[in-house]
Amino acid sequence: GAMPVLMEIVKAVRSIRAGAGIRDSERLKAVVAAIEPEAYVAVLGREHLLKFLAGLSEVEVSHGNLRLPGFSMAPAGSATVYVQLPAGSEGRRDGERLKAAEARMRAEFHSALRRIESLDFIRNAPEDLVGRMKVRKRILSRQIIAIEDGGAEAAEAPAGGGGWKPAPDRLRPAGNRPDPA
């Protein structure tokens, strides 16, 4: 469902606020960049909920890793959140927070990789679990790249880009609606 995705996004916004020392009452602009179609579908049309739950003034929905100068980024499950920092709050601890997040993601990525490469795991685990591990590995690799690049990996479309454009390794779904498979 959509709620777990929205909760991850709210946690990411709160993490950015804490890292930059920004009060909860201060309204911020955010861009949610979906890594997987499920995240795009979960957020699209629910921007009002994110505004309310995360204390945001504006929410845009996009996809891919973006270049957004003046924004701080944080991974949020199957999405990446970019929050525009107010002038004077450069996020002193932002670099530390991102390094810690990257270390956690790398550990989880290598754990998923070891499982996926294990013939015993593939042979004995339920098929849906193996599929979820593969998806999680792909999401983690994209988020690690975004952190390494400082969010500098170019997106295929600007924020609010008008529809899902899947990563090159995915089949393009019919029309603009993401294929949840």
Side-chain angles (χ1 to χ4, degrees), residues 33 63-68 73 82 141-157 167-168:
H63 51 83
N65 295 323
L66 307 173
R67 288 188 187 126
L68 296 174
M73 66 167 290
Y82 300 83
S141 68
R142 291 177 183 174
Q143 288 180 332
I144 291 167
I145 289 169
I147 289 174
E148 286 174 345
D149 292 349
E153 187 176 302
E156 293 181 36

Side-chain angles (χ1 to χ4, degrees), residues 160-180:
W164 177 258
K165 290 196 174 122
D169 60 334
R170 293 186 59 103
L171 296 175
R172 186 173 297 280
N176 266 349
R177 183 162 174 95
D179 181 7

Side-chain angles (χ1 to χ4, degrees), residues 17-122:
R17 282 182 184 278
I22 300 169
R23 296 181 322 275
D24 290 339
S25 61
E26 193 164 350
R27 298 291 177 230
L28 304 170
K29 175 182 177 179
V31 177
V32 178
I35 295 173
E36 292 293 312
E38 295 80 12
Y40 188 81
V41 170
V43 175
L44 199 61
R46 294 180 178 91
E47 296 91 337
H48 64 285
L49 283 173
L50 286 175
K51 286 180 186 179
F52 175 75
L53 294 171
L56 301 169
S57 60
E58 187 178 339
V59 176
E60 292 183 36
V61 184
S62 187
H63 51 83
N65 295 323
L66 307 173
R67 288 188 187 126
L68 296 174
F71 282 70
S72 183
M73 66 167 290
S78 56
T80 303
V81 177
Y82 300 83
V83 175
Q84 188 171 30
L85 299 176
S89 63
E90 298 306 317
R92 296 167 300 279
R93 297 182 310 212
D94 201 40
E96 295 170 22
R97 180 186 54 77
L98 280 177
K99 283 182 185 177
E102 181 182 5
R104 284 190 307 273
M105 284 189 281
R106 283 185 185 280
E108 188 179 343
F109 174 83
H110 290 297
S111 172
L113 187 61
R114 279 192 302 278
R115 286 183 179 175
I116 291 169
E117 290 178 346
S118 165
L119 292 178
D120 287 337
F121 177 76
I122 301 269

